[in-house]
Amino acid sequence: MTENVASILSLDEMLPAVAQGAIGIACRTDDDKMATYLASLNHEETRLAVSCERAFLETLDGSCRTPIAGYAAKDEEGNCFFRGLVASPDGTKVLETSRKGPYVYEDMVKMGKDAGQELLSRAGPGFFGN
């Protein structure tokens, strides 16, 4: 359907929602056979990126109604580059941050949480209209 695309937005123009485009599949914890099948579908680079993004979202206590965006990806050097932002509900205030570090699960989750803590601190109470 590329003939219907008017333009492709860069990350500078619009940061996506957390885990945008990732597919998640749930499985019963005691179903080893299904877990084995599903493991073959896993794309590790995407799983790690989504883990970073979701740690950011969780730290901000975000929901589908909270104006939060986050994007993690592997850069040219093989490191994780993360960008995140929060906006006030009316869109008048936007706070952004970024992080760079090893493309390793523990480091990426820490980056997401740290970025979320930074924006919570900068936003202050009542930023999301609570």
Side-chain angles (χ1 to χ4, degrees):
M1 296 181 58
T2 56
E3 69 276 1
N4 297 316
V5 175
S7 68
I8 296 174
L9 301 175
S10 71
L11 293 175
D12 290 330
E13 294 173 293
M14 185 178 142
L15 207 57
V18 167
Q20 186 72 40
I23 297 172
I25 302 173
C27 173
R28 292 182 305 273
T29 56
D30 62 345
D31 192 340
D32 295 334
K33 184 176 181 179
M34 185 55 69
T36 300
Y37 290 137
L38 293 175
S40 68
L41 300 175
N42 181 51
H43 183 260
E44 189 63 10
E45 190 173 317
T46 300
R47 183 187 76 83
L48 295 175
V50 168
S51 296
C52 179
E53 295 171 14
R54 291 184 71 187
F56 174 71
L57 182 66
E58 181 181 16
T59 301
L60 292 166
D61 197 25
S63 72
C64 60
R65 292 184 176 84
T66 314
I68 298 172
Y71 182 77
K74 191 177 275 190
D75 67 14
E76 313 81 44
E77 294 99 37
N79 290 310
C80 176
F81 179 72
F82 173 78
R83 284 184 54 200
L85 71 77
V86 296
S88 59
D90 63 4
T92 58
K93 298 177 188 171
V94 177
L95 303 174
E96 297 184 55
T97 190
S98 64
R99 298 285 185 283
K100 186 173 183 173
Y103 212 91
V104 176
Y105 177 81
E106 292 82 11
D107 294 307
M108 293 171 71
V109 168
K110 185 177 179 200
M111 277 191 285
K113 288 180 179 181
D114 185 60
Q117 285 294 333
E118 177 197 331
L119 293 187
L120 276 177
S121 175
R122 288 173 51 200
F127 184 82
F128 292 115
N130 304 357

